[in-house]
Amino acid sequence: MNSTVSNQAADRAGDMLHVVKWHNGEKEWSPFSAGEMDRRQNAMRAWMAQNDVDAALFTSYHGICYYSGFLYCYFGRKYGFLIDQDNATTISAGIDGGQPWRRSHGDNITYSDWRRDNFYTAITSLLKPGTKRIGIEFDHVSLDFRKLLGGAFPDVEFVDVAQPAMWMRTIKSEEEHKLIREGARVANVGARACMEAVHEGVPEYEVAIASTNAMIREIGKSFPFVELMDTWTWFQSGIMTDGAHNPVTNKQVARGDILSLNCFPMIFGYYTAIERTLFCEEVSDAHLDLWQKNCEVMRVGSDLIRPGAKCSDIAHELNDLYRSWDLLKYRSFGYGHSFGVLSHYYGREAGVELREDVETVLEPGMVVSMEPMIMLPEGMPGAGGYREHDIFIVTEEGAENITNFPYGPEHMILKA
């Protein structure tokens, strides 16, 4: 066991250390090799060198996790990952002990809560003399945070690192593809558990518990070491299906209800998903017609995902299909998005979304979903939200569907 606690900053208040190296235990197992993590960090270093940036300070969940492997728990404290041409170091709060160091590809320093500016003291301890330009994530730094950074480093010019980092993340490595495939497999386990738990009279939360527990158990037994955090299920019924992110409630499922299954395993900061429309016991003719049409959009859209396809073109073509049925006005969001280090409470790669205002061209290595949705308000025939969701890895010649789970009326009318 390698356990060290050493003073990193000379300033003290009595016996209270402000910044220390808290290295407790050994580095933990990761699904990513040292070569993979070096690749990510060196790509950022290359961008820094080309843009005369002396150091980059990442503060977002996704930025820190992607470049270091450490996913922090915010709880009102600041976290960081500072990289320059020679070093890569996570900055964490004392409340987390040695866990951030065990998870970081690189070094770690810990700051105490005993003085309000200790986070900035920690950053200062890592900066080389003469540092003039620091990259920060403009889309994550709040106005207050930016003011505090300016006060702590008045002679430094801050430049945006969020956009170049986002584009680096959009092209996944083979190791990332492997983990995302595993996440898709676990999502299917959750979907099957969800379907088995559905029956007339069951509360939504009981279905969600069954699905989430199945995924957590599957993740736990699938890796030599894994932090079990943030895996969840949204299961909605009836009017609650009108939103993609509506929370689970205690509403009981009724016969003939439209249902929405949404399973989200989180593994080492990587999010995957499966979403399906279902019905309890029976489906009305109006619901069946709308469901079949949305499934047709799903089939057509899945075939459109390929290298060279422009995100906006995919959206416009699917819009035409909805328009032909006079359903475009009931579409509620984009047709899909990039997958990787993202979650329901932190960032995504907005440069790869299947929307009308995104001109990005799909490239091999990207991972993107197809997830068409329409929502008809209460009181209309076939009222409810219809949504299917698969994940695709863009290849040299096409796209690989890594979800491969049934959808549509032949499979998703659930009988007792």
Side-chain angles (χ1 to χ4, degrees), residues 193-213:
C194 178
M195 294 168 64
E196 292 172 355
V198 171
H199 57 83
E200 186 177 0
V202 67
E204 290 178 0
Y205 67 82
E206 289 292 350
V207 178
I209 288 171
S211 172
T212 301
N213 285 352

Side-chain angles (χ1 to χ4, degrees), residues 186-392:
V186 172
N188 287 358
V189 170
R192 188 61 64 187
C194 178
M195 294 168 64
E196 292 172 355
V198 171
H199 57 83
E200 186 177 0
V202 67
E204 290 178 0
Y205 67 82
E206 289 292 350
V207 178
I209 288 171
S211 172
T212 301
N213 285 352
M215 290 190 289
I216 290 172
R217 291 186 178 112
E218 188 65 26
I219 295 168
K221 72 181 185 182
S222 298
F223 297 91
F225 174 85
V226 63
E227 295 172 343
L228 296 166
M229 56 189 292
D230 300 328
T231 290
W232 85 104
T233 300
W234 282 320
F235 175 77
Q236 300 122 353
S237 62
I239 194 171
M240 300 302 296
T241 64
D242 66 348
H245 305 147
N246 289 350
V248 171
T249 74
N250 58 352
K251 177 186 177 300
Q252 294 184 355
V253 173
R255 185 181 185 90
D257 262 355
I258 185 171
L259 310 173
S260 186
L261 167 164
N262 311 264
C263 301
F264 307 109
M266 286 288 294
I267 310 174
F268 295 96
Y270 279 70
Y271 157 106
T272 46
I274 182 173
E275 300 173 6
R276 291 291 185 266
T277 301
L278 315 93
F279 281 82
C280 179
E281 298 288 347
E282 61 188 31
V283 56
S284 73
D285 290 342
H287 282 99
L288 181 61
D289 178 64
L290 292 163
W291 190 11
Q292 289 173 329
K293 286 172 177 172
N294 203 58
C295 288
E296 178 64 14
V297 176
M298 177 70 172
R299 284 188 287 270
V300 172
S302 298
D303 290 341
L304 293 175
I305 297 175
R306 59 182 182 271
K310 187 184 292 186
C311 292
S312 58
D313 289 346
I314 293 174
H316 286 302
E317 185 163 345
L318 297 182
N319 282 349
D320 288 342
L321 192 52
Y322 276 135
R323 190 179 289 111
S324 71
W325 301 314
D326 195 28
L327 290 175
L328 185 59
K329 58 191 171 187
Y330 300 117
R331 194 192 122 206
S332 56
F333 60 91
Y335 290 101
H337 58 83
S338 181
F339 272 75
V341 181
L342 67 119
S343 176
H344 57 313
Y345 60 86
Y346 57 87
R348 63 197 291 168
E349 293 148 16
V352 184
E353 294 200 30
L354 304 183
R355 300 186 347 184
E356 297 86 342
D357 58 351
V358 176
E359 300 297 315
T360 303
V361 173
L362 297 182
E363 299 179 40
M366 289 180 173
V367 181
V368 67
S369 61
M370 173 52 58
E371 47 180 307
M373 179 176 178
I374 52 173
M375 186 282 289
L376 278 77
E378 283 292 287
M380 294 187 64
Y386 302 78
R387 184 169 70 262
E388 317 298 339
H389 180 296
D390 283 355
I391 299 175
F392 296 81

Side-chain angles (χ1 to χ4, degrees), residues 42-55 85 133 159-160 164 168:
N42 289 336
M44 176 49 59
R45 289 185 174 111
W47 178 87
M48 291 161 56
Q50 292 167 3
N51 291 273
D52 297 322
V53 174
D54 300 306
Q85 293 300 330
R133 281 166 58 87
V159 298
D160 184 35
M168 291 177 200

Side-chain angles (χ1 to χ4, degrees), residues 45-81:
R45 289 185 174 111
W47 178 87
M48 291 161 56
Q50 292 167 3
N51 291 273
D52 297 322
V53 174
D54 300 306
L57 173 66
F58 290 91
T59 51
S60 68
Y61 293 99
H62 44 284
I64 295 174
C65 183
Y66 181 77
Y67 288 106
S68 76
F70 165 55
L71 183 61
Y72 65 80
C73 176
Y74 173 57
F75 242 118
R77 294 175 173 85
K78 291 182 172 60
Y79 290 80
F81 172 69

